[in-house]
Amino acid sequence: MIENWTKEFIIQRLLAITLLVVLFVLCFQVIQFFIVPALWAAILAYVTFPVYNFFYEKVKLSPNVSAAIMTMSISLMIGVPLVIGVFILQQEALSLISNLIYRIKVGYLDVPDSVKDLPIVGQQVKDVLWRINKNPEGTLETFRLWVQSHLYYGKVAFDVVFSGLAKLGMALMTLFFFYRDGTSLVRQIRQALRNIIGNRIDGYIDSVGTTTRAVVYGIGLTALAQALLAGVGYYFSGAPSPILLTIITFIIALIPFGTPFAWGAVSIWLMSQGHTTEGIGLALWGVLVISWVDNLIRPIVISGATKIPFIIIFIGVLGGLTAFGFVGLFIGPVVLAIGLAVWREWISQHKNEIFSPQEIELTDDDALPPVSESQ
């Protein structure tokens, strides 16, 4: 074969490879912004695809109508809490700023005594409050100048929010096509990978599907259950804006063992405001009730369904979050699941070579016990 490689053949192959590389780089540049939204859409579509099949196969709706119903439902499930959370956050922020400006104007800006009594920083807090209350107009002017000099950060924050909303809209738009054409797309991907790797790709794809569904259900159900239980605690403990705190807790609860930071911060805030009984009650509710949800549901749903040690899922979640951002919560465990599937397959295929001792034929002399010289 090598003898038939002429100069023209080599040049032709090099040009083809170069064009393919250039095409790949250009395609990546074009779709780079849409990769994360497409991943979110793929995860949502895969997990909720049985519901789509219900409308398509059981109710006998067309693919377009079924996909539209599912896309609108997902959009409402995401959009309504998001709008409510933004509205409540805006109201709370305006109320906080208005109250802060009013207290500065009347010269009565204060913090709880528990903060003033803190070692090292307590005296510094007292000095800062004294200077602010002594010269309210100067403090407000300094604050205005500081805001004007940091308007750039406001623009950066606005760009981040706008980019996030654009990605969310793109993900929901892509979700419609994943519902409608998802079966055909998965069939093409499976065939393409089978052409490259072989029939073993079916096991890998099944592992990806099982892990994705288990991780989404495990993380999502755990976060939802913890957020609802925390919301009950926020309501009865008298915490401000329990709905907003519940939404924030749900987001934090998506990270393993992150929920205690949510209800723990609210508990500390309540105690710092003089509501010691409510703060301690919320802390006990969090330790005795909320935390047990994370210890029970997440390992059972994820490890039980995937047959993967929970520590692998835990490392995948945190590692994926660090490497890929928020979507890495689901990508990380899937990547490790594929790696574990490859490892198990390799061990299964070569277990006789690795673990079985080499067979040695013993002669009659080798089988007899050694005779000492004294005998």
Side-chain angles (χ1 to χ4, degrees), residues 121-134:
V121 299
Q123 186 59 43
Q124 297 179 3
V125 171
K126 293 178 182 179
D127 295 338
V128 172
L129 290 175
W130 181 81
R131 288 194 296 268
I132 291 175
N133 293 327
K134 182 181 178 181

Side-chain angles (χ1 to χ4, degrees), residues 38-350:
L39 288 175
W40 277 115
I43 293 172
L44 289 173
Y46 182 80
V47 172
T48 59
F49 206 78
V51 184
Y52 165 81
N53 278 334
F54 170 78
F55 289 107
Y56 176 59
E57 297 179 356
K58 303 296 184 181
V59 187
K60 303 298 182 180
L61 297 177
S62 67
N64 287 326
V65 175
S66 301
I69 292 175
M70 289 299 301
T71 304
M72 289 298 298
S73 302
I74 297 294
S75 301
L76 291 175
M77 293 174 60
I78 296 175
V80 171
L82 181 63
V83 171
I84 293 175
V86 170
F87 177 77
I88 296 176
L89 183 61
Q90 178 189 10
Q91 297 298 318
E92 291 295 327
L94 291 176
S95 176
L96 177 63
I97 294 174
S98 300
N99 186 43
L100 181 63
I101 293 176
Y102 172 77
R103 287 180 174 271
I104 292 176
K105 284 183 178 180
V106 299
Y108 187 68
L109 185 64
D110 200 5
V111 296
D113 293 335
S114 58
V115 178
K116 297 179 183 178
D117 296 335
L118 290 174
I120 302 175
V121 299
Q123 186 59 43
Q124 297 179 3
V125 171
K126 293 178 182 179
D127 295 338
V128 172
L129 290 175
W130 181 81
R131 288 194 296 268
I132 291 175
N133 293 327
K134 182 181 178 181
N135 186 15
E137 294 298 330
T139 301
L140 291 175
E141 184 63 26
T142 302
F143 179 73
R144 293 190 191 98
L145 294 175
W146 182 86
V147 171
Q148 292 177 359
S149 62
H150 292 78
L151 290 177
Y152 171 76
Y153 296 103
K155 180 180 180 300
V156 173
F158 177 79
D159 291 341
V160 171
V161 172
F162 181 79
S163 176
L165 292 177
K167 289 182 178 180
L168 177 60
M170 188 63 199
L172 294 176
M173 184 185 301
T174 308
L175 185 61
F176 171 83
F177 296 98
F178 278 169
Y179 280 130
R180 192 188 67 178
D181 306 319
T183 303
S184 175
L185 181 61
V186 170
R187 188 183 301 113
Q188 295 178 34
I189 294 175
R190 185 185 292 267
Q191 184 59 49
L193 293 176
R194 188 182 290 116
N195 293 339
I196 299 173
I197 302 177
N199 292 329
R200 67 168 63 94
I201 193 60
D202 295 329
Y204 299 156
I205 292 178
D206 294 339
S207 176
V208 170
T210 303
T211 304
T212 301
R213 188 182 292 108
V215 169
V216 172
Y217 288 157
I219 293 178
L221 290 177
T222 303
L224 181 61
Q226 288 185 312
L228 293 176
L229 290 173
V232 173
Y234 298 150
Y235 176 78
F236 285 101
S237 64
S241 303
I243 297 178
L244 177 61
L245 291 176
T246 302
I247 296 174
I248 295 176
T249 302
F250 173 75
I251 297 174
I252 297 176
L254 292 173
I255 303 173
F257 309 110
T259 314
F261 293 97
W263 56 258
V266 178
S267 176
I268 294 174
W269 184 87
L270 287 172
M271 288 187 285
S272 69
Q273 298 297 313
H275 304 290
T276 306
T277 304
E278 292 82 354
I280 294 176
L282 179 61
L284 291 175
W285 176 259
V287 172
L288 300 177
V289 178
I290 301 175
S291 295
W292 279 102
V293 175
D294 191 36
N295 297 332
L296 291 176
I297 296 181
R298 201 189 304 262
I300 292 175
V301 174
I302 296 179
S303 299
T306 60
K307 307 302 180 183
I308 298 175
F310 181 71
I311 186 62
I312 300 293
I313 300 296
F314 179 74
I315 294 174
V317 168
L318 295 184
L321 181 66
T322 304
F324 305 105
F326 207 63
V327 73
L329 288 171
F330 309 101
I331 296 179
V334 170
V335 171
L336 293 187
I338 297 175
L340 185 61
V342 174
W343 168 258
R344 287 173 173 173
E345 181 187 21
W346 183 77
I347 291 294
S348 177
Q349 291 179 350
H350 302 278

Side-chain angles (χ1 to χ4, degrees), residues 6-35:
T6 62
K7 181 178 180 180
E8 291 78 7
F9 178 79
I10 295 176
I11 293 175
Q12 183 181 9
R13 285 302 177 91
L14 289 176
L15 288 175
I17 294 174
T18 303
L19 290 175
L20 287 176
V21 171
V22 171
L23 179 62
F24 176 80
V25 172
L26 292 177
C27 290
F28 179 78
Q29 292 294 327
V30 171
I31 67 173
Q32 185 175 5
F33 178 82
F34 305 100
I35 292 177

Side-chain angles (χ1 to χ4, degrees), residues 348-369:
S348 177
Q349 291 179 350
H350 302 278
K351 61 181 179 181
N352 294 329
E353 303 174 10
I354 299 175
F355 299 107
S356 298
Q358 184 176 2
E359 295 182 0
I360 302 176
E361 294 183 2
L362 299 178
T363 62
D364 293 339
D365 295 336
D366 294 330
L368 295 174

